[in-house]
């Protein structure tokens, strides 16, 4: 039972990347999913999250209007489309899952997640 984040890489400022969070061994259908990131020397921060049904999403102010979270339950995958990337977006990005979340907000990031994926590095050159 695990989550796997992928899609990171090196991109120039202003560019785009799409991260994927895929589950194996269990279905993401009943889980709220969050994306977190941790930059060197900084604490981990919540970036975006999406409800179990996909009908509710939340974005940190730092990424609002640039990032879009979505989910494809048929593919058991959650995505984070990142556009207009900035140097300050450079970090290791992680996805995490917690059971039964329907109304998303910043409080989601404080829950004790059921599953964590290994991170994927995003590097934005300025």
């Amino acid at each position: 039972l695990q989550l796997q984040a992928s899609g990171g890489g090196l991109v120039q400022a202003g560019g785009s990347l799409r991260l994927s969070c895929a589950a194996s061994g269990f279905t993401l259908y009943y889980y709220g999913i969050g994306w977190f990131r941790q930059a060197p020397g900084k604490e981990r921060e919540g970036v975006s999250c999406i409800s179990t049904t996909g009908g509710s999403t939340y974005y940190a102010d730092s990424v609002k209007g640039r990032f879009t979270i979505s989910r494809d339950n048929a593919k058991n995958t959650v995505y984070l489309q990142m556009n207009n990337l900035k140097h300050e977006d450079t970090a290791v990005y992680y996805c995490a899952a917690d059971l039964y979340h329907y109304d998303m907000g910043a409080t989601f990031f404080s829950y004790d997640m059921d599953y964590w994926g290994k991170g994927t590095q995003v590097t934005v050159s300025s």
Side-chain angles (χ1 to χ4, degrees):
L1 303 179
Q2 62 179 358
L3 290 175
Q4 180 64 54
S6 62
L10 173 64
V11 65
Q12 288 186 332
S16 299
L17 285 172
R18 188 177 79 158
L19 305 185
S20 298
C21 176
S24 59
F26 70 104
T27 178
L28 288 178
Y29 184 82
Y30 298 107
Y31 290 82
I33 306 297
W35 284 98
F36 298 75
R37 68 185 181 187
Q38 188 165 20
K42 294 187 177 181
E43 292 188 355
R44 186 177 63 202
E45 62 172 341
V47 174
S48 181
C49 53
I50 188 167
S51 64
T52 303
T53 63
S56 177
T57 58
Y58 172 85
Y59 299 93
D61 287 344
S62 58
V63 305
K64 199 174 296 182
R66 300 188 297 120
F67 290 12
T68 303
I69 191 170
S70 62
R71 66 189 301 156
D72 186 338
N73 286 336
K75 294 183 178 180
N76 218 22
T77 302
V78 172
Y79 304 99
L80 185 68
Q81 178 67 43
M82 307 187 297
N83 297 330
N84 191 20
L85 282 160
K86 302 177 180 181
H87 178 67
E88 50 264 42
D89 295 318
T90 295
V92 178
Y93 284 70
Y94 302 87
C95 59
D98 197 48
L99 199 60
Y100 298 137
H101 286 272
Y102 298 97
D103 189 14
M104 309 308 281
T107 56
F108 175 85
F109 302 119
S110 64
Y111 281 88
D112 187 12
M113 298 290 134
D114 293 321
Y115 298 100
W116 282 93
K118 293 182 179 179
T120 184
Q121 175 71 47
V122 172
T123 303
V124 185
S125 62
S126 55

